[in-house]
Amino acid sequence: MKHRNDLPRAVVCHEDIGIVMEDGTRLSARIWLPEDAEARPVPAILEHLPYRKRDGTIARDSLTMPYYAGHGYAAIRVDMRGNGDSEGLMEDEYTQQELDDACAVIAWARAQPWCTGKVGMQGISWGGFNSLQVAALQPEGLEAIITICSTVDRFADDIHVKGGCQLGAHIAWATQMLAYSSRPPDPEIAGDNRWRDLWLDRLDTQPFLFETWIKHQRRDEYWRHGSVCEDYGAIRAAVLSIGGWHDGYRNTIAHLVENLSAQGTPVKGIVGPWNHKYPHIAAPEPRIGFLQEALRWWDHWLKGAETGVEDDPAMRLWLMDSVRPKAKLDRRPGRWIAEAAWPSPGIARTVMHMGSEGMSPEPGRADVRVASPADCGGCGGVFFPAHYGAELPTDQRDDDARSACFDGVTLTEPQDIVGAPRVALTLVSDRPQAQLCVRLCDVFPDGTSALITMGVLNLTHREGAQSPQPMIPGEVTRVAFDLDQIAYRVPAGHRIRVAVSTAYWPFIWPAPDAATLQIHTGEIALPVRSPASRDEWRFEEPAGAAAWDAESLRRARYSRVRETDLTSGNVVMKVGIDGGEARDRAHGLITSTRSEERWTIHPDDPNSARSEIAWVTQMGRDAWQVRTACDTVLSADAAHWRWKARLRCWEDGALVFETAWDGSADRDEV
């Protein structure tokens, strides 16, 4: 990355600006401004997060926010209420209070003497979600947003549920948020006499969010709130949507471009080969000059400049080349393709039928039985790759052996798959509850199997997620659903495989019974584009402001190990994430995080599934030291979820707070 110190306008950073909400709650904002902004007012760009501006997102903020300010913007980074250095309490994610606070911050910014009155909002993940949700509220002055790795449907495409199946990431995320939100304000900001009272008040009312989420196993009003797909027409601000093929939120970009275009809202999409990161710091490479691209967006919609963004293609996609699967890839070869409209008239559906001899253009009968062991899925990678570690899918052959597989013929020409494949099956289940996982794989001449894309379906959700219906054992049922969006080239000499399993652990939690499915017929409609011969678009190389000035005291590490206990027969996935330890050279704060996950299951017993997760955070400066530890356990029998969680906090080595949760809930057709 090229670090720019020669920005067009000199920048000043205000470390703590208080923005007081209507109920008196003070939110803490870090604001970067051109030095002469009061004489030459600028538009504002807001990022509204619970992730702690002073230490949690400081590395990426250092690259981004001064860059924006140096190009004539007020860059505002707010700690949401109940997090970081802000007062108040956070009850849940994406609450109406959160969105109202963001609207109040926008109104506050517009009233400042340094602001022109025009505002943009951006963010990745949580910030990408609430950028869309706030845009749907149409606050005055919000003209444009950039939403990265986000969702339009909180039930269908968030970290909780996928295809009606409970994601393993659901409990992992609840544990992580407990660790994040239980940390104290920085005494240097909150004040020596206030920080501790704010912290203890925060801890006294700290929720374990999993208890809220697991009560909503259907797509009810809880999930409809904040799901902008309920009314795309409510979004009037211009939307730039960005994502990555190795991220769990890759479907949003196509949904937004298709549906907002139909409403007449300006919208563009970009998808690279990336994990859950901003595209100028993401992996695998190639990265892009995201900040230059963002300035083109902001300059047009917030300043009225003619930057050409209105004429950009509707979708710019990294068409990935076939590579041998590895859990960690530094670079993903391919090329940029561009589509003027989405859905694209240049992408046609090629239907392949699943039969007893594999896949064929001609209809046939499969008559295949599949009953996967409960540990099938160990090659799938993680839903939420965000740590630059060994998180990606590996060679699929081990999972293929536990699945019903349908192979196509060896390709004589490359095939570019661009879009969301759709699968349809007629099948019979011997249990009222069952799961489907369908994987589309690229099979090499030597048998190596690389994951192209996948999808899962809780069969009780086959007619919809609002009113699940049990399967009727022995009854022939037709189901159809989309796999995840993708842009992938299968080269000549390779074959395409469809692999169908009844388990995908620990990506999704197992169904309560080990079901057997009899697949009578099946087909997959592949979105095929004429092979691209060259790059159809080019981005600038990554650039940013000066990197975060920090001393590394312990480098970050990531490990993921899958092993079998030969005595018990249990299969265990162990994940260790050490976020490292660093000291900010400007304000001296030392911070670190560590987490460990253990996912256990016996291949013959889906109700043996168990997750154990522990997080430790530390922060301190000189004699002041704080540590938090939280750990959770989730298990389930055929009828109930059962969980335990514990939170402990220490100040200067003394335990100052401890609480625990011990609960259960009925399994609701899942």
Side-chain angles (χ1 to χ4, degrees):
M1 176 182 291
K2 181 180 180 181
H3 294 283
R4 293 282 305 275
N5 295 312
D6 56 338
L7 299 172
R9 294 170 74 169
V11 176
V12 60
C13 178
H14 301 277
E15 290 293 327
D16 175 51
I17 300 294
I19 306 175
V20 180
M21 300 293 99
E22 186 176 358
D23 64 356
T25 300
R26 182 188 188 273
L27 304 188
S28 176
R30 193 175 185 213
I31 302 180
W32 295 257
L33 287 168
E35 279 187 343
D36 60 348
E38 289 204 15
R40 298 167 58 198
V42 295
I45 300 168
L46 168 64
E47 192 162 7
H48 186 67
L49 293 173
Y51 299 145
R52 304 179 62 91
K53 56 183 168 45
R54 197 154 169 86
D55 49 88
T57 63
I58 193 169
R60 77 185 193 210
D61 290 347
S62 297
L63 299 172
T64 300
M65 299 309 200
Y67 190 92
Y68 284 161
H71 285 87
Y73 292 90
I76 305 172
R77 175 61 183 84
V78 176
D79 278 344
M80 279 170 40
R81 66 169 62 212
N83 290 275
D85 299 315
S86 289
E87 297 175 354
L89 305 169
M90 188 186 78
E91 295 179 349
D92 199 354
E93 55 186 13
Y94 320 121
T95 62
Q96 191 61 48
Q97 181 69 69
E98 172 188 335
L99 306 183
D100 290 345
D101 285 351
C103 291
V105 172
I106 290 171
W108 174 89
R110 297 183 71 239
Q112 302 310 302
W114 39 256
C115 185
T116 62
K118 292 190 180 292
V119 180
M121 195 169 175
Q122 78 163 32
I124 183 172
S125 198
W126 196 306
F129 280 51
N130 66 24
S131 292
L132 284 166
Q133 293 161 1
V134 171
L137 297 177
Q138 301 180 19
E140 187 174 357
L142 183 62
E143 305 291 337
I145 68 170
I146 299 178
T147 178
I148 304 161
C149 300
S150 61
T151 187
V152 300
D153 189 330
R154 292 183 55 221
F155 186 81
D157 275 311
D158 196 354
I159 201 166
H160 310 289
V161 180
K162 185 178 180 70
C165 305
Q166 293 289 315
L167 287 165
H170 192 175
I171 183 63
W173 180 238
T175 312
Q176 186 170 342
M177 279 309 301
L178 185 60
Y180 276 14
S181 292
S182 59
R183 293 175 291 179
D186 186 346
E188 192 173 273
I189 298 296
D192 289 337
N193 297 323
R194 291 184 65 249
W195 76 269
R196 198 171 190 274
D197 289 342
L198 289 173
W199 184 35
L200 293 178
D201 189 33
R202 183 180 296 178
L203 293 174
D204 280 339
T205 55
Q206 189 67 219
F208 179 45
L209 294 176
F210 183 80
E211 292 193 324
T212 298
W213 299 335
I214 200 63
K215 294 174 184 175
H216 302 277
Q217 297 167 48
R218 306 179 180 208
R219 193 178 185 278
D220 56 14
E221 184 57 37
Y222 176 83
W223 300 112
R224 287 193 289 273
H225 166 77
S227 293
V228 299
C229 63
E230 294 290 304
D231 182 10
Y232 284 107
I235 299 176
R236 303 294 176 81
V239 176
L240 176 58
S241 178
I242 301 176
W245 296 135
H246 289 107
D247 179 58
Y249 299 148
R250 72 193 73 172
N251 298 314
T252 299
I253 304 89
H255 291 319
L256 284 171
V257 173
E258 177 177 355
N259 289 286
L260 292 183
S261 295
Q263 299 289 336
T265 301
V267 58
K268 304 293 179 184
I270 300 171
V271 191
W274 310 308
N275 62 350
H276 195 75
K277 294 290 184 183
Y278 272 92
H280 56 316
I281 58 174
E285 296 198 50
R287 298 164 177 167
I288 65 169
F290 163 73
L291 294 178
Q292 302 96 304
E293 195 66 24
L295 283 179
R296 292 181 63 228
W297 194 253
W298 301 132
D299 285 352
H300 179 72
W301 296 109
L302 303 184
K303 294 182 177 179
E306 293 299 327
T307 63
V309 292
E310 285 187 295
D311 298 323
D312 286 348
M315 293 282 266
R316 287 162 284 176
L317 309 172
W318 184 253
L319 178 70
M320 297 189 296
D321 282 341
S322 171
V323 297
R324 291 193 172 273
K326 291 176 61 178
K328 184 178 185 298
L329 287 171
D330 295 324
R331 175 171 287 273
R332 188 76 196 234
R335 63 208 50 77
W336 285 105
I337 60 173
E339 291 291 349
W342 194 266
S344 169
I347 297 175
R349 293 276 171 175
T350 297
V351 177
M352 300 295 290
H353 298 271
M354 304 170 203
S356 58
E357 301 300 319
M359 286 202 298
S360 165
E362 302 300 323
R365 289 188 64 83
D367 290 328
V368 170
R369 174 183 173 276
V370 56
S372 305
D375 66 322
C376 179
C379 308
V382 303
F383 172 79
F384 198 64
H387 298 283
Y388 306 108
E391 302 169 286
L392 305 183
T394 54
D395 191 328
Q396 299 292 292
R397 280 181 282 190
D398 190 49
D399 284 343
D400 290 352
R402 293 164 163 81
S403 308
C405 293
F406 305 89
D407 287 6
V409 298
T410 301
L411 297 179
T412 57
E413 296 180 351
Q415 190 168 72
D416 288 0
I417 300 171
V418 180
R422 185 166 182 80
V423 65
L425 302 169
T426 57
L427 52 82
V428 174
S429 174
D430 69 343
R431 296 287 188 273
Q433 294 187 44
Q435 296 172 334
L436 268 179
C437 175
V438 177
R439 292 175 291 115
L440 184 66
C441 299
D442 166 15
V443 182
F444 288 58
D446 66 358
T448 299
S449 180
L451 184 66
I452 300 173
T453 187
M454 55 79 70
V456 295
L457 178 65
N458 175 353
L459 286 174
T460 70
H461 286 236
R462 63 196 181 279
E463 300 295 338
Q466 291 176 264
S467 300
Q469 298 296 322
M471 296 286 285
I472 300 175
E475 181 175 285
V476 177
T477 304
R478 179 176 171 82
V479 299
F481 60 102
D482 289 339
L483 308 189
D484 287 337
Q485 294 272 340
I486 199 65
Y488 187 103
R489 171 167 292 178
V490 185
H494 289 214
R495 291 173 289 134
I496 291 173
R497 170 176 294 162
V498 173
V500 182
S501 63
T502 56
Y504 205 56
W505 169 263
F507 196 95
I508 57 175
W509 202 271
D513 293 315
T516 297
L517 300 180
Q518 187 75 24
I519 301 172
H520 292 324
T521 65
E523 64 181 43
I524 188 166
L526 299 174
V528 177
R529 186 184 193 264
S530 296
S533 59
R534 56 178 177 78
D535 275 320
E536 298 170 0
W537 191 265
R538 291 186 183 275
F539 291 97
E540 294 186 49
E541 292 298 310
W548 177 34
D549 186 14
E551 176 188 4
S552 175
L553 305 178
R554 185 181 75 245
R555 70 184 184 90
R557 295 176 182 272
Y558 181 95
S559 66
R560 186 160 63 104
V561 176
R562 185 172 182 245
E563 59 190 23
T564 301
D565 183 325
L566 296 180
T567 300
S568 67
N570 288 332
V571 177
V572 182
M573 182 79 78
K574 300 177 182 177
V575 181
I577 306 171
D578 184 341
E581 184 175 58
R583 181 179 68 85
D584 185 289
R585 289 193 174 96
H587 56 64
L589 189 66
I590 297 174
T591 53
S592 70
T593 62
R594 282 194 177 101
S595 68
E596 294 182 354
E597 302 175 11
R598 183 182 177 91
W599 302 84
T600 305
I601 201 164
H602 192 285
D604 298 335
D605 182 7
N607 294 316
S608 66
R610 179 181 175 92
S611 76
E612 301 163 89
I613 305 174
W615 271 79
V616 175
T617 77
Q618 291 180 277
M619 57 189 297
R621 182 188 290 109
D622 303 323
W624 176 73
Q625 299 291 323
V626 167
R627 179 164 63 98
T628 73
C630 62
D631 47 87
T632 64
V633 177
L634 178 65
S635 61
D637 58 26
H640 303 95
W641 302 99
R642 303 188 188 281
W643 62 84
K644 292 183 179 181
R646 180 175 59 162
L647 171 64
R648 293 168 293 162
C649 303
W650 293 262
E651 180 190 354
D652 300 334
L655 183 68
V656 296
F657 182 84
E658 183 172 11
T659 191
W661 296 264
D662 188 344
S664 65
D666 292 343
R667 296 181 72 163
D668 183 8
E669 304 296 349
V670 67

